Amino acid sequence: MLQLNNLKKQYDTGEWALKGIDLEIPNGQVIALIGPSGAGKSTLIRCVNRLVKPTSGTIHLKGTELTSLSSGALRKARRKMGMIFQEYALVERLTVMENVLSGRLGYVGFWRSYLRKFPDKDVKEAFRLLDRVGLQHMADKRADELSGGQRQRIGIARSLALKPEILIADEPVSALDVSIQAQILDLLEEIRDQMNLSMIFITHDLRVAAQVCDRLAVMRYGE
Ligand code: ADP
């Protein structure tokens, strides 16, 4: 369960991007955030993953209050959140497998990951996830050799490598052709159903929201 209470964010420019958001997302629920550009959608999800520090209010993820955590505790809490981005945010020169394993960086120590020595069980799990997203046969290809849809599948597998409690997706299909969008949405739907994950999903597209989401939150002017 993710719970936001009276969440506010004022940027240094003086602008209030969030004006007191209350939102509760039970386990397994998928919620779409929609609304015009500048409404505060990105600010909201950045407050949840704490790329942005809220001005006031609270954020509880499975009982942990996120806004008051020390940096070490915050790093741990971030492992509970899988991020999926519009532009995939892959490391292009690395293989598909290495990109998925990079999702484990929060768990594997820096030097160990730097030397690319991931534990066998992580490698096994990464193969399972690649299978899950239909890319097992591509494990050794470089990320930049794959199509947009395949790259987003890597992004999804990487986000699941953290074994997250919530998936946060920022326009995950808007860079893709419509036919490919449908495949990725089907995959996200399957994941939702099988893994009982909560998801927050920013989208501009109501059809996308209708297919994958249980609930819509409409934002405007930070409300
Ligand atoms: P959305 O994701 O709905 O397009 P944003 O959360 O990006 O909305 O933006 C909400 C408001 O906050 C906008 O008016 C935007 O200009 C402002 N804003 C966003 N990021 C910053 C920032 N880093 N510094 C100052 N203002 C920002």
Side-chain angles (χ1 to χ4, degrees):
M1 156 109 81
L2 178 74
Q3 199 170 17
L4 313 183
N5 285 108
N6 201 18
L7 191 70
K8 296 184 183 177
K9 174 63 189 177
Q10 182 178 36
Y11 283 111
D12 293 343
T13 52
E15 176 164 359
W16 286 94
L18 300 178
K19 297 177 184 164
I21 304 286
D22 293 304
L23 185 66
E24 203 174 287
I25 308 177
N27 294 342
Q29 189 175 77
V30 180
I31 186 164
L33 283 184
I34 64 166
S37 188
K41 305 179 295 296
S42 308
T43 302
L44 191 153
I45 64 168
R46 286 195 202 127
C47 283
V48 172
N49 65 22
R50 283 294 309 277
L51 293 176
V52 161
K53 190 168 168 42
T55 305
S56 65
T58 58
I59 304 171
H60 285 89
L61 179 61
K62 289 239 165 133
T64 306
E65 210 286 295
L66 301 182
T67 59
S68 55
L69 294 180
S70 65
S71 57
L74 182 59
R75 221 173 303 131
K76 257 195 192 150
R78 281 209 184 104
R79 294 178 195 160
K80 297 181 188 167
M81 306 172 204
M83 296 293 300
I84 302 174
F85 303 95
Q86 179 179 0
E87 300 293 349
Y88 328 121
L90 304 177
V91 184
E92 305 292 343
R93 293 172 299 104
L94 295 186
T95 65
V96 170
M97 173 56 101
E98 286 167 325
N99 269 282
V100 175
L101 283 168
S102 74
R104 302 285 304 165
L105 289 185
Y107 282 118
V108 184
F110 172 76
W111 282 107
R112 203 160 166 182
S113 57
Y114 184 74
L115 298 168
R116 305 222 196 122
K117 285 209 170 114
F118 285 89
D120 284 349
K121 73 171 180 29
D122 283 6
V123 175
K124 258 194 201 140
E125 174 65 7
F127 267 115
R128 194 187 66 77
L129 289 170
L130 281 177
D131 196 29
R132 179 73 201 73
V133 301
L135 286 182
Q136 198 177 30
H137 56 296
M138 301 260 176
D140 292 329
K141 284 215 184 284
R142 269 174 57 143
D144 55 10
E145 294 175 55
L146 272 62
S147 70
Q150 290 169 330
R151 288 150 65 82
Q152 192 54 296
R153 286 171 189 273
I154 305 173
I156 292 169
R158 179 189 52 195
S159 72
L160 295 175
L162 276 169
K163 298 193 192 307
E165 287 171 10
I166 186 163
L167 279 186
I168 301 175
D170 190 353
E171 299 269 4
V173 296
S174 55
L176 301 171
D177 291 344
V178 174
S179 61
I180 308 292
Q181 282 188 1
Q183 295 169 12
I184 296 292
L185 291 173
D186 286 345
L187 176 63
L188 288 170
E189 250 185 317
E190 284 169 25
I191 288 168
R192 173 197 67 187
D193 294 342
Q194 291 167 8
M195 301 180 70
N196 194 36
L197 277 175
S198 308
M199 285 177 61
I200 308 182
F201 207 117
I202 294 185
T203 180
H204 282 106
D205 188 336
L206 278 174
R207 282 171 316 155
V208 168
Q211 180 175 344
V212 196
C213 302
D214 305 304
R215 229 173 119 199
L216 278 182
V218 183
M219 289 191 71
R220 202 170 170 211
Y221 303 131
E223 293 177 337

